[in-house]
Amino acid sequence: MKIAIIGASGFLGTKLVNFFSKNNEVFGSDTKERRNLYKLDATKQEDVDKFFLKYNPEVVIDTVALTSSVTCER
């Protein structure tokens, strides 16, 4: 199965990539250029469209989150 994990460099995303990679084809993304991850800003529709066209996943898991409580409150 082709699985896309958006926010793959965070705590949860990393765990999911490791778990699902054992038996599936996994494509991870992050907002920064990182090894083995697609650079993706999930707030930009054009970037998201490109990601989906390139990988055509069957399942998408979105783990994107703000980790700063101050930023969240703003």
Side-chain angles (χ1 to χ4, degrees):
M1 183 177 298
K2 293 169 68 173
I3 301 173
I5 299 177
I6 300 172
S9 67
F11 179 79
L12 178 59
T14 300
K15 299 286 185 190
L16 291 170
V17 168
N18 291 336
F19 178 79
F20 286 115
S21 291
K22 294 173 187 169
N23 298 310
N24 301 283
E25 189 175 3
V26 175
F27 308 99
S29 75
D30 187 33
T31 57
K32 298 180 181 99
E33 190 89 26
R34 295 181 193 264
R35 195 176 119 219
N36 299 326
L37 295 179
Y38 183 89
K39 184 179 177 188
L40 172 66
D41 182 344
T43 65
K44 295 183 179 176
Q45 183 67 47
E46 185 178 325
D47 291 357
V48 174
D49 291 343
K50 287 179 186 177
F51 179 78
F52 280 87
L53 287 172
K54 181 173 183 172
Y55 294 110
N56 195 26
E58 297 168 78
V59 174
V60 178
I61 302 171
D62 184 357
T63 66
V64 174
L66 293 173
T67 58
S68 166
S69 59
V70 174
T71 304
C72 290
E73 288 177 5
R74 277 193 237 141

